[in-house]
Amino acid sequence: MPIHPLRGFIAGRRRHAAVIAAVMACSAVLTGQDRVTADGASTPSVPAPKLDWTSCVQGSPFDCATARVPLDYTRPGGRTVELAVVRRKATGPGRRMGTLFFNPGGPGGPGTVQMPQNYEFFPREVRERFDIVSWDPRGVGSSTAVNCFASPQEAAGWNAGKAAGFPVGEEERAAFVAAYEDLARRCQQRDPGLLSHVSTADTARDLDQLRRAVGERQVNYYGISYGTILGATYANLFPDKVRAMTLDSNIGPDAWTNDGADDARLTTFLRVGSDRSAAATLDEFLELCGSAPTARCAFSAGSPEATRDKFGRLTQRLREEPVETWTYARTVADAVNALYLVSGWADLAARLEALWHGRTPEAAPFPPAPPVPDPNPYLGEEQAAAVLCGDSPNPREAAGYHALEEAAAARAGDSGRFWTWAAAGCATWPASPGRYTGPWDRPTANPVLVVGTTYDPSTAYPNSRAMTDALADARLLTNEGYGHTALLNPSSCVQEYESRYFVDGTLPPAGTTCRQDTPPFSAPRPSGGVAAGGGGTAAAVS
């Protein structure tokens, strides 16, 4: 299933329980935005929420609870919102150290689904020593959610009215822009109060309330993709509350905030370099595919050069002759999204080979639903947009996106077109929640571990360097590999360092580099555990 551009940074995220990787999705410059200063602890005192844990469903190893927090922390006696929370207790008898909070990215990633779905990817020792807790952030999934449609049928009808992937040609561009103008109007009418209070800063304050609710003096946190911006925001609003924080597949804070300015000439994704990073990762996909036999990569043409040429000819042909609903744009979007998980590269190759022969590709099977009450919550694009369009500036003139697309295509090919239009929905977004724009260098109680993957199709590796430089005290761990997040593309080496860091605060030596356990298109092989208990045998997610 292709992922729409507004979910671009959540590539791989499906409308089913098997939601996987997470990242950003859209953003916009919004006039009249309030700034949030680094004084999170100075907001009015709010009682910690009470968490009444019960088994999520009968026989489930996960517990569920609901937290109630203020909609507006400056008015704690006003309206409240609900947060759906999930927990897996530490599995090591007598070895529990505390609670580790996890955000799966997005924004818009439902933690109550994605943490259980991907629980086995956490290092074994981390699972043994910590209760792992996640939640659907405000505005998302099973929490008090942004929903701009009266019914699922209405939402499906809206989605069907625009091109899959991104628009191609003047007619599709006009329909694309009109669809998001319509979405903005619908959202403004449904619940403008909620739209004004779903910022990253709001969610960081929610995280601190959850920390208090589980009785932790300081927070242990693991954030991937957009979750890195949430973690960095928390670290600067509550610097004395950081015990251990791992930020995996980062977004550069200055790129996210447009250096604190509202007037953006480039989209968030172009500032972050998603177009170039996706192009480089796609090129690696074609290089490695062409170097592999067809038994391991069905799309291989016998050499890297021939395979690149084959992909170019396929996309050109699809511009003129789609294979049923598989247009050029849908195919490009599918390719970029599929690069997120190395475990899905062979399936992507099979889909491309089917299209090469004029056949409709078989749908990728969904992983089994996790044992939670609502494994398939409504995850409309407006949930991601509600955060991103207020937090991260983008050009406000929809008519200018075509020129940006052409410039991005000149430097990044097909990936540039995809990533440019990924932000177009924010051009007319109505709300302006208070956004945090820095500073990012407030000294934290303990150092932060930053993890960056060299070939990441979404959050380019330089962002992890930028995050390391921006924070007051951070150490970069480089993961030489492919895909989005080291968590979901496992490296036993990375897991070992993460385990040591979370357990006893030990950082990897400066300049440390790890490698992925299983390179793309390699022969299947088991990957063993590591000294610190890193789980190298996690099952693949597709």
Side-chain angles (χ1 to χ4, degrees):
M1 178 185 297
I3 308 301
H4 191 274
L6 255 178
R7 300 218 187 156
F9 259 35
I10 317 175
R13 170 181 168 181
R14 306 169 190 266
R15 293 178 182 271
H16 183 274
V19 183
I20 20 185
V23 242
M24 312 193 299
C26 91
S27 33
V29 161
L30 295 170
T31 59
Q33 287 175 319
D34 296 327
R35 294 294 187 270
V36 179
T37 57
D39 61 352
S42 69
T43 54
S45 178
V46 180
K50 183 179 180 182
L51 297 174
D52 292 323
W53 296 106
T54 59
S55 181
C56 290
V57 295
Q58 187 174 2
S60 174
F62 298 95
D63 299 319
C64 288
T66 300
R68 189 172 289 277
V69 296
L71 173 70
D72 181 352
Y73 277 93
T74 68
R75 297 178 175 84
R79 177 182 170 183
T80 61
V81 293
E82 292 186 346
L83 304 178
V85 189
V86 66
R87 175 185 68 181
R88 177 70 182 264
K89 288 184 177 180
T91 60
R95 304 188 69 209
R96 180 186 181 277
M97 289 185 61
T99 298
L100 172 65
F101 289 95
F102 172 67
N103 179 272
T112 61
V113 176
Q114 290 180 295
M115 187 277 277
Q117 189 72 49
N118 298 304
Y119 172 78
E120 296 297 329
F121 282 96
F122 289 91
R124 188 181 68 232
E125 185 161 1
V126 170
R127 287 181 273 131
E128 290 174 350
R129 305 297 293 272
F130 293 90
D131 296 345
I132 299 180
V133 171
S134 192
W135 75 106
D136 293 0
R138 56 172 61 206
V140 174
S142 295
S143 293
T144 300
V146 174
N147 185 344
C148 302
F149 298 96
S151 67
Q153 293 75 21
E154 190 175 280
W158 174 84
N159 190 60
K162 60 194 186 322
F166 53 88
V168 177
E170 184 175 351
E171 184 176 340
E172 285 192 359
R173 287 193 294 271
F176 208 77
V177 170
Y180 284 104
E181 290 175 343
D182 177 50
L183 181 65
R185 285 192 296 269
R186 291 173 182 268
C187 292
Q188 180 64 17
Q189 292 168 0
R190 292 278 288 188
D191 192 347
L194 179 60
L195 293 186
S196 296
H197 293 285
V198 290
S199 70
T200 302
D202 289 315
T203 296
R205 294 189 176 97
D206 291 343
L207 172 57
D208 200 58
Q209 287 295 92
L210 293 174
R211 173 194 64 79
R212 296 175 61 208
V214 299
E216 295 284 359
R217 187 177 66 85
Q218 292 179 310
V219 77
N220 300 293
Y221 175 82
Y222 194 132
I224 62 176
S225 195
Y226 162 79
T228 65
I229 284 292
L230 173 58
T233 301
Y234 181 92
N236 283 277
L237 289 178
F238 305 95
D240 60 324
K241 301 301 182 185
V242 175
R243 178 192 174 271
M245 178 176 287
T246 292
L247 306 179
D248 176 3
S249 290
N250 291 258
I251 299 164
D254 289 334
W256 174 258
T257 63
N258 192 39
D259 293 313
D262 286 337
D263 186 17
R265 291 181 296 173
L266 294 177
T267 70
T268 302
F269 309 116
L270 300 184
R271 291 196 302 271
V272 168
S274 300
D275 57 331
R276 288 173 168 165
S277 189
T281 308
L282 178 59
D283 189 67
E284 284 293 298
F285 167 85
L286 297 170
E287 170 83 19
L288 296 172
C289 178
S291 301
T294 54
R296 294 182 188 165
C297 182
F299 194 65
S300 176
S303 73
E305 183 178 357
T307 306
R308 290 189 184 95
D309 180 68
K310 182 179 179 181
F311 182 79
R313 285 188 287 150
L314 173 62
T315 54
Q316 184 61 40
R317 191 175 76 202
L318 288 171
R319 283 176 175 268
E320 306 297 329
E321 301 176 16
V323 177
E324 295 188 2
T325 61
W326 284 84
T327 61
Y328 155 71
R330 178 181 176 182
T331 302
V332 169
D334 179 68
V336 173
N337 288 322
L339 295 173
Y340 276 55
L341 297 178
V342 169
S343 60
W345 282 26
D347 290 336
L348 168 61
R351 292 195 296 276
L352 293 174
E353 183 67 8
L355 291 169
W356 178 254
H357 291 287
R359 301 193 305 267
T360 301
E362 293 184 12
F366 289 121
V372 296
D374 188 2
N376 188 23
Y378 176 72
L379 299 173
E381 292 176 25
E382 64 268 35
Q383 294 182 5
V387 180
L388 292 166
C389 294
D391 258 33
S392 185
N394 280 264
R396 294 289 284 173
E397 294 295 329
Y401 278 73
H402 181 45
L404 290 174
E405 172 194 4
E406 293 302 322
R411 76 181 194 180
D414 299 322
S415 300
R417 301 187 187 281
F418 172 83
W419 281 115
T420 298
W421 286 101
C426 292
T428 54
W429 189 256
S432 54
R435 66 187 185 101
Y436 183 78
T437 59
W440 299 101
D441 60 353
R442 297 194 74 195
T444 48
N446 293 287
V448 175
L449 176 61
V450 175
V451 181
T453 298
T454 50
Y455 285 100
D456 184 323
S458 175
T459 53
Y461 174 73
N463 286 273
S464 292
R465 291 193 180 278
M467 178 66 84
T468 306
D469 292 341
L471 297 176
D473 187 3
R475 178 67 51 82
L476 174 62
L477 174 61
T478 297
N479 177 39
E480 288 191 356
Y482 310 89
H484 185 54
T485 81
L487 177 69
L488 300 179
N489 296 280
S491 162
S492 297
C493 171
V494 170
Q495 291 183 333
E496 179 177 358
Y497 283 118
E498 289 177 342
S499 295
R500 291 175 177 171
Y501 169 69
F502 278 122
V503 170
D504 58 28
T506 301
L507 289 168
T512 297
T513 296
C514 289
R515 295 183 185 276
Q516 234 160 28
D517 287 345
T518 308
F521 306 122
S522 59
R525 62 180 178 84
S527 54
V530 293
T537 58
V541 174
S542 60

